[in-house]
Amino acid sequence: MSTLAERLAVVQAGVADAARAAGREPSSVTTIVVTKFHPASLVAELSALGVRDVGENRHQEAQAKAAELSGLPLRWHFVGQLQSKKAKQVRAYADVIHSIDRPALLSALASGENTIDCFLQVNLTDNPERGGVAPAELPTLVEQTLATPGLRLLGLMAVAPLGEEPRRAFARVRELSESVRRIAPDATALSMGMSQDFAAAIAEGATHLRIGTAITGNRPQPG
Ligand SMILES: *Cc1c(COP(=O)(O)O)cnc(C)c1O
């Protein structure tokens, strides 16, 4: 059995290799360790190993961990589907929200007090039940995001669908990003790539990877 430190080192080396293979600086890629279902103690261990970016997908669990670990120098990324009525609460502890996919969330997150970084999640499947905005509706959502006070649009987020070659799926996101940048020139970031497909994501320009099990080990069953 490998240790957390060993798995982290293996992934970091894999990320650096994939970046160099794509002619990119390893430092142009941020690895977010997705710690959902794992206890706060594991997040604290990651912090001691130098991890600064952690991701969560369930509001109550994320809120509790962020409160318990508020003394650590961590950036909290919310990557899960978000309910409008919980959005304000997520905004209180999250540094970055990756899963904005509809106008109702924009109104719920609007604030004149502080600015939060966000990604718009794109649905790459034909199933509207999956999180993310349909590509055809993306330009309108981009414009609405730019018009919302208190949000800084970093770029696009996506999950490669089952049954599609990940690299092809990530290439679609890169193309969508090019059209988004005509409306929002600063929205250059791409949150894509997980444990199984991060090398393909890096090859297509990912700037933020969301990696869980390859670093944390298998997740405990959701409680
Ligand atoms: C769980 C999760 C991940 C990490 O998945 P792994 O396959 O464990 O790397 C990435 N993104 C989102 C949105 C997730 O929910």
Side-chain angles (χ1 to χ4, degrees):
M1 268 230 3
S2 55
T3 65
L4 186 64
E6 286 163 353
R7 291 190 300 268
L8 178 64
V10 166
V11 169
Q12 284 170 335
V15 169
D17 285 348
R20 282 189 286 264
R24 302 179 52 197
E25 284 294 325
S27 64
S28 69
V29 182
T30 299
T31 298
I32 300 158
V33 185
V34 179
T35 50
K36 63 191 184 200
F37 308 161
H38 287 282
S41 56
L42 179 130
V43 185
E45 267 185 82
L46 287 165
S47 174
L49 292 169
V51 167
R52 291 294 167 263
D53 293 274
V54 294
E56 290 284 334
N57 76 336
R58 295 193 304 181
H59 162 56
Q60 280 185 316
E61 180 185 338
Q63 186 181 44
K65 284 183 202 168
E68 184 174 343
L69 302 175
S70 62
L72 299 179
L74 291 168
R75 267 188 301 275
W76 293 87
H77 296 254
F78 192 83
V79 304
Q81 290 198 29
L82 188 50
Q83 288 175 265
S84 304
K85 62 176 196 277
K86 295 288 158 62
K88 265 245 140 45
Q89 291 179 55
V90 171
R91 198 186 204 293
Y93 60 82
D95 297 287
V96 188
I97 298 178
H98 290 241
S99 42
I100 295 179
D101 61 1
R102 57 193 190 279
L105 280 176
L106 295 174
S107 353
L109 289 165
S111 160
E113 286 156 36
N114 66 335
T115 298
I116 185 166
D117 289 336
C118 67
F119 289 87
L120 299 183
Q121 182 176 357
V122 182
N123 184 356
L124 298 177
T125 76
D126 297 328
N127 179 357
E129 304 278 297
R130 306 303 299 259
V133 61
E137 289 159 29
L138 180 60
T140 306
L141 193 62
V142 170
E143 280 167 8
Q144 290 165 329
T145 306
L146 294 177
T148 303
L151 292 181
R152 183 187 301 114
L153 180 59
L154 297 186
L156 300 182
M157 180 275 220
V159 176
L162 291 173
E164 179 177 1
E165 177 64 41
R167 177 122 188 215
R168 275 198 53 196
F170 296 139
R172 288 161 64 200
V173 184
R174 181 174 46 69
E175 285 159 21
L176 286 168
S177 159
E178 283 159 17
S179 62
V180 164
R181 276 183 269 162
R182 276 179 236 129
I183 323 172
D186 296 332
T188 55
L190 288 175
S191 168
M192 57 189 196
M194 316 196 332
S195 291
Q196 302 304 324
D197 55 21
F198 69 80
I202 291 170
E204 294 298 337
T207 59
H208 293 70
L209 311 173
R210 307 178 313 272
I211 301 186
T213 47
I215 294 173
T216 63
N218 285 335
R219 283 185 275 275
Q221 289 307 303

